[in-house]
């Protein structure tokens, strides 16, 4: 699971939504954390599970930077992420650690707060929740934002998954390979005129346009989310004068990107929490003396369902 996420985080994304959030989480996905961070006391210890490139630790730091509260936030992720230590005026320290499985943490010193946003649900919950329960201080809190099985995020990404795994997308890539070979080496205007008048190239271009049209007709929104159009545009514009080998290498790269995206989306869909999974989570944590506090659903400004927000607390006795 970790390799395709490692490559994703290496691209510099801060959130798991890629280009949908160019900086950090915003709106409700930001606002729900501020009251939780406000409860932290001096010398706090926070652990962020499945931290990625540290969206929540950075959000916490930015929120508490102007306060007199000091503490430490450690973010761990099973993927390979850039190890990083950030000191904010020696008051709030951030440490990001990659290749750490939350089902078996490499440290045991107790923490005041464990957080996770669209992360812990990807793990083996029966193991990770027990590990988290053991690291929580008495009275410590567990705050989780998790994918909801009926959310617009899941619905939208299911459509993207269907589109990139479709026969039409597979045929589109095959036609691009065929066109790259049929075009041959393109270096001059003479070559451009040659391929314009080549019947095989013309048929392949028409086939490609037809396949793109079919993808538009099937689901325009999913097509835009998939990056397929950007890949095709790059092939025809920047790639026009590339060698045949370079064109083929680029198409292999495109296939790898789409394959990795499919893996991430399959994991996302499988990770989403429904009522049965929630009941299982409650039982696991209850057995570890971590009590249920609340479960709410988060919605966008246009009232679309986004996620679950769960809060638990380690029993005082």
């Amino acid at each position: 699971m970790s390799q395709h996420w490692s490559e994703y985080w290496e691209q510099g994304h801060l959130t798991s939504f890629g280009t949908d959030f160019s900086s950090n989480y915003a709106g409700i996905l930001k606002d729900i954390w501020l009251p939780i961070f406000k409860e932290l006391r001096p010398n706090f210890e926070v652990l962020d599970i499945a931290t990625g490139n540290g969206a929540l630790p950075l959000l916490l730091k930015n929120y508490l930077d102007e306060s007199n509260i000091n503490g430490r936030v450690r973010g761990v992720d099973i993927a390979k992420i850039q190890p990083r230590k950030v000191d904010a005026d020696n008051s709030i320290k951030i440490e990001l650690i990659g290749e750490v499985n939350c089902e078996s943490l490499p440290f045991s010193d107790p923490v005041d707060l464990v957080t996770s946003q669209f992360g812990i649900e990807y793990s083996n919950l029966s193991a990770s929740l027990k590990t988290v329960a053991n690291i929580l201080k008495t009275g410590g809190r567990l705050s989780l934002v998790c994918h909801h099985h009926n959310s617009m995020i899941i619905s939208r990404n299911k459509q993207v998954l269907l589109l990139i795994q479709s026969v039409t997308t597979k045929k589109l890539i095959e036609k691009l390979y065929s066109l790259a070979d049929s075009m041959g080496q393109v270096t001059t205007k003479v070559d451009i005129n040659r391929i314009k008048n080549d019947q095989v190239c013309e048929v392949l271009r028409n086939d490609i346009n037809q396949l793109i049209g079919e993808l538009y007709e099937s689901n325009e929104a999913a097509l835009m989310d998939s990056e397929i159009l950007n890949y095709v545009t790059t092939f025809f514009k920047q790639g026009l004068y590339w060698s045949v080998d370079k064109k083929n290498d680029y198409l292999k790269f495109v296939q790898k990107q789409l394959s990795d995206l499919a893996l991430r989306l399959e994991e996302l869909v499988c990770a989403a929490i429904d009522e049965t999974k929630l009941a299982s989570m409650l039982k696991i944590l209850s057995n570890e003396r971590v009590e249920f506090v609340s479960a709410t659903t988060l919605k966008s400004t246009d009232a679309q369902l986004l996620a679950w927000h769960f809060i638990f607390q380690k029993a005082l006795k």
Side-chain angles (χ1 to χ4, degrees):
M1 169 181 168
S2 62
Q3 182 58 38
H4 47 277
W5 279 109
S6 297
E7 294 175 359
Y8 175 82
W9 296 121
E10 283 175 6
Q11 294 172 26
H13 299 296
L14 190 56
T15 75
S16 58
F17 297 138
T19 55
D20 287 352
F21 287 85
S22 58
S23 55
N24 208 330
Y25 290 105
I28 187 65
L29 293 178
K30 173 184 176 182
D31 294 342
I32 60 103
W33 290 106
L34 303 187
I36 294 167
F37 296 156
K38 189 175 182 180
E39 294 178 356
L40 293 170
R41 296 294 176 259
N43 298 312
F44 67 76
E45 289 283 346
V46 174
L47 174 65
D48 186 42
I49 298 293
T51 195
N53 280 333
L56 283 189
L58 290 171
L59 187 64
L60 185 153
K61 182 185 84 69
N62 292 338
Y63 178 65
L64 294 179
D65 257 350
E66 302 302 320
S67 72
N68 294 319
I69 298 175
N70 64 311
R72 177 173 66 163
V73 188
R74 284 177 295 183
V76 299
D77 202 291
I78 193 171
K80 185 177 181 180
I81 57 176
Q82 186 65 39
R84 178 170 26 169
K85 291 186 178 181
V86 179
D87 292 357
D89 300 326
N90 296 318
S91 59
I92 299 174
K93 299 178 180 179
I94 294 178
E95 185 176 359
L96 304 184
I97 313 167
E99 299 179 285
V100 171
N101 193 331
C102 64
E103 297 156 14
S104 180
L105 295 170
F107 40 77
S108 58
D109 41 321
V111 301
D112 302 283
L113 172 67
V114 175
T115 63
S116 180
Q117 181 149 276
F118 302 125
I120 198 171
E121 63 266 44
Y122 288 89
S123 69
N124 178 341
L125 289 171
S126 62
S128 60
L129 290 177
K130 288 179 182 178
T131 299
V132 165
N134 288 332
I135 205 171
L136 270 179
K137 292 180 181 178
T138 299
R141 289 208 160 192
L142 170 62
S143 180
L144 308 174
V145 170
C146 297
H147 285 295
H148 192 296
H149 71 294
N150 282 331
S151 74
M152 57 85 70
I153 296 170
I154 296 298
S155 175
R156 180 171 169 176
N157 284 293
K158 279 182 178 179
Q159 298 304 311
V160 177
L161 181 59
L162 286 173
L163 184 132
I164 63 177
Q165 292 182 327
S166 68
V167 173
T168 305
T169 296
K170 182 179 179 181
K171 286 181 179 178
L172 175 61
I173 302 298
E174 290 173 350
K175 294 293 183 181
L176 288 169
Y177 271 114
S178 297
L179 182 59
D181 290 336
S182 297
M183 289 167 63
Q185 189 63 49
V186 180
T187 57
T188 67
K189 290 183 178 180
V190 173
D191 292 320
I192 297 295
N193 289 328
R194 169 179 58 79
I195 61 177
K196 282 182 177 178
N197 295 309
D198 185 283
Q199 288 188 345
V200 174
C201 290
E202 181 65 17
V203 169
L204 287 169
R205 284 195 299 271
N206 288 335
D207 288 344
I208 289 167
N209 287 333
Q210 181 178 339
L211 291 167
I212 292 173
E214 290 176 11
L215 292 175
Y216 260 116
E217 289 294 322
S218 65
N219 195 321
E220 182 179 348
L223 178 61
M224 296 304 181
D225 287 341
S226 71
E227 295 289 324
I228 288 174
L229 289 183
N230 289 336
Y231 294 138
V232 174
T233 299
T234 298
F235 177 88
F236 280 107
K237 289 189 175 180
Q238 291 96 312
L240 181 61
Y241 292 103
W242 290 346
S243 68
V244 175
D245 286 343
K246 188 172 180 180
K247 286 185 177 75
N248 287 331
D249 286 343
Y250 175 71
L251 292 173
K252 289 176 184 176
F253 163 80
V254 169
Q255 286 179 304
K256 177 68 162 53
Q257 294 302 302
L258 293 177
S259 175
D260 285 353
L261 175 59
L263 286 173
R264 292 197 300 271
L265 295 183
E266 286 173 344
E267 289 169 1
L268 183 154
V269 171
C270 290
I273 305 295
D274 58 15
E275 286 74 10
T276 301
K277 278 189 181 180
L278 175 56
S280 177
M281 291 170 64
L282 293 173
K283 183 176 181 181
I284 293 166
L285 289 169
S286 177
N287 290 339
E288 300 298 322
R289 297 176 48 251
V290 177
E291 300 172 342
F292 172 74
V293 175
S294 65
T296 56
T297 53
L298 306 181
K299 294 184 179 181
S300 63
T301 53
D302 57 353
Q304 293 193 75
L305 181 60
L306 290 176
W308 292 104
H309 181 211
F310 305 124
I311 298 178
F312 302 88
Q313 186 169 23
K314 187 75 170 280
L316 296 177
K317 293 183 180 180

